[in-house]
Amino acid sequence: MLDNEPGRKRRRLWVHPIVAQRQQKGQFHKLYTDLRQDANKFKSYCLMSIETFDYLLICLHSDRKFMDTCMRRSISAEQRLIVTLRFLATGNSFASLHFEFLLGISTISGIVCHTCKVIWQRLREAVMPTPTAADWLRIADGFYKSAQFPNCIGALDSKHIRVKKPPHSGSRYFNYKQYFSVVLMALADSDYKFVIVDIGAYGSTSDGRIFSVSRIGERLRQNQLALPEPSRLPGSAGPPAPFVIVAGEWFSVSPHLMRPFPRRDLDVRKRIFNYPLTRARRYVECAFGILSSKWRVFQSSIQMKPDNATLVIQACVMLHNFTRIHDASTDADLGLNMTSSVSLDLSRPGLPGTAGLAVRELFADYFSSPEGALSWQMDAIRGSH
């Protein structure tokens, strides 16, 4: 009946003869068993160890079974995950994967989108749970040990992910770098893991605007992040300092968000403050670098609708944290071994940034004091001048 409808393309084949040979010639059926015999080759192929892959498979498909029918054989959970990982790891088109795995292009598209959605839903609470006060203290301890920035609960930045121009979207996705994108905004810890992310904003939107309407920005303004109570900076006899996020100069300073002093009229004290802040902020930049170099789907424009591109980004963020937790990291440690008498009132009236500026002055005083100064900071700021 449907084949006789006007304007409907008649289907020539139920299954193409090439696709029908999937069980004999498809890449999964030819390689998977052999790859599991060589741990290094498997990790190169799937970007994770065999043990991590098996655990991921259990997490994603523990309650799902795929069954053959009288019409066709099912695609196993292992093959679905392998196809998705190869798409994320290589950035190859669905047409290219079609000839590798001998699966239909629309089938591969459906598998990738569905698996990415399941990865986000099943792994989110396990690898990126909502931080508690104890989690923030652990993160702050990591930043102090690796970047010598005390009371730091994360580094904040954004990354533009290339996408193809959506139809009828105008300039909404066109960013200042002159290409179409959606934005991944993330808070990272000193282990290069993502703590909180916001994904899918238009590429044309400024970072400050994205942050202000994001989940983390909203919760930060409403004091809903379960942050620890302010504490004195190490070795300082000054007032307690709040726990802060470090970010770039395109964000607005606030009591819990520190940005560097503007580049104009920088004196030595301000340059000293900017130095450890920049050292702490690089952790989120490095996390983005690890993410995009490992999952090469980010190396070119994602040829998908924005909603599906968002699913891909979400899955890569989850897999980034998942592999850093369950696979021993081989990334080099990029960290280096590194008293205010001002009364600090965070509730005093004034302009919205007044309290934030006071917090920044407190940290600037600390880093210029004997208690907070780094032995090499003067050489570093002279070298960057």
Side-chain angles (χ1 to χ4, degrees):
M1 291 292 292
L2 292 177
D3 288 340
N4 295 328
E5 291 182 7
R8 186 179 181 89
K9 187 177 180 180
R10 184 179 180 84
R11 193 170 189 172
R12 296 194 308 168
L13 297 168
W14 178 253
V15 178
H16 195 281
I18 294 179
V19 177
Q21 301 179 71
R22 169 164 53 95
Q23 302 283 340
Q24 296 76 35
K25 298 183 178 180
Q27 190 175 106
F28 173 80
H29 296 281
K30 290 175 65 176
L31 285 180
Y32 182 67
T33 302
D34 293 337
L35 284 172
R36 291 187 68 92
Q37 306 305 314
D38 190 316
N40 291 330
K41 292 294 185 182
F42 188 94
K43 191 168 186 178
S44 297
Y45 189 76
C46 295
L47 302 186
M48 61 184 68
S49 66
I50 297 174
E51 295 77 16
T52 300
F53 176 87
D54 291 341
Y55 181 60
L56 176 61
L57 194 64
I58 293 173
C59 293
L60 300 185
H61 297 294
S62 59
D63 59 346
R64 297 200 63 184
K65 293 183 179 180
F66 303 96
M67 302 181 65
D68 296 337
T69 69
C70 60
M71 301 295 292
R72 65 182 70 188
R73 291 185 176 181
S74 65
I75 302 170
S76 66
E78 292 89 341
Q79 186 170 3
R80 290 169 180 267
L81 183 55
I82 288 287
V83 168
T84 303
L85 291 177
R86 291 303 293 167
F87 170 73
L88 301 179
T90 64
N92 288 348
S93 66
F94 293 152
S96 177
L97 295 174
H98 158 68
F99 290 107
E100 293 176 18
F101 290 95
L102 301 185
L103 292 166
I105 294 177
S106 60
T107 301
I108 292 175
S109 175
I111 287 174
V112 169
C113 292
H114 177 264
T115 305
C116 286
K117 184 177 181 180
V118 172
I119 288 173
W120 171 257
Q121 293 174 341
R122 298 290 178 90
L123 297 186
R124 188 174 179 181
E125 289 301 318
V127 304
M128 201 173 66
T130 301
T132 63
D135 294 326
W136 292 126
L137 289 172
R138 175 185 52 79
I139 293 171
D141 184 61
F143 271 104
Y144 184 61
K145 289 179 178 178
S146 58
Q148 290 73 54
F149 198 110
N151 287 26
C152 176
I153 57 170
L156 179 71
D157 204 354
S158 64
K159 178 178 177 61
H160 286 267
I161 309 297
R162 286 180 181 266
V163 296
K164 73 174 183 179
K165 182 183 182 299
H168 316 297
S169 62
S171 60
R172 284 178 295 178
Y173 291 91
F174 196 69
N175 63 35
Y176 70 96
K177 299 182 179 180
Q178 307 299 303
Y179 60 82
F180 296 93
S181 67
V182 295
V183 179
L184 162 62
M185 179 166 285
L187 184 72
D189 64 16
S190 61
D191 293 324
Y192 311 107
K193 296 195 297 290
F194 298 113
V195 181
I196 302 176
V197 295
D198 185 86
I199 303 170
Y202 296 139
S204 62
T205 310
S206 68
D207 288 345
R209 174 61 179 166
I210 294 172
F211 178 73
S212 66
V213 300
S214 67
R215 183 167 61 103
I216 181 174
E218 186 69 24
R219 294 176 64 189
L220 191 63
R221 284 194 302 274
Q222 297 178 0
N223 296 319
Q224 295 179 347
L225 283 179
L227 298 181
E229 291 296 319
S231 65
R232 283 192 173 90
L233 301 177
S236 171
F243 286 81
V244 299
I245 294 168
V246 295
E249 56 190 15
W250 41 90
F251 291 90
S252 298
V253 67
S254 72
H256 294 289
L257 195 148
M258 293 291 99
R259 51 168 283 177
F261 284 103
R263 298 180 185 181
R264 62 183 184 276
D265 301 326
L266 280 178
D267 56 24
V268 174
R269 175 175 167 275
K270 293 178 179 179
R271 291 174 64 83
I272 289 174
F273 169 81
N274 285 0
Y275 174 64
L277 184 142
T278 302
R279 294 181 72 246
R281 190 166 63 87
R282 71 183 177 180
Y283 282 90
V284 67
E285 297 172 353
C286 291
F288 285 146
I290 296 169
L291 176 75
S292 59
S293 63
K294 184 169 186 174
W295 306 105
R296 297 186 65 82
V297 69
F298 297 126
Q299 298 292 319
S300 59
S301 177
I302 300 177
Q303 300 297 305
M304 305 172 78
K305 296 178 181 179
D307 289 346
N308 291 336
T310 297
L311 290 176
V312 167
I313 300 168
Q314 289 175 334
C316 287
V317 167
M318 293 296 101
L319 291 172
H320 171 88
N321 279 13
F322 186 81
T323 54
R324 291 196 67 80
I325 292 171
H326 295 284
D327 280 340
S329 173
T330 57
D331 299 309
D333 183 7
L334 300 180
L336 298 173
N337 296 324
M338 333 197 344
T339 300
S340 173
S341 60
V342 178
S343 177
L344 191 64
D345 182 6
L346 301 183
S347 62
R348 65 183 181 181
L351 296 175
T354 301
L357 294 175
V359 173
R360 186 167 65 178
E361 292 296 327
L362 174 62
F363 276 92
D365 289 340
Y366 173 75
F367 288 122
S368 296
S369 70
E371 294 81 9
L374 305 175
S375 59
W376 63 86
Q377 67 185 18
M378 292 306 298
D379 293 334
I381 65 173
R382 289 194 192 103
S384 64
H385 184 59

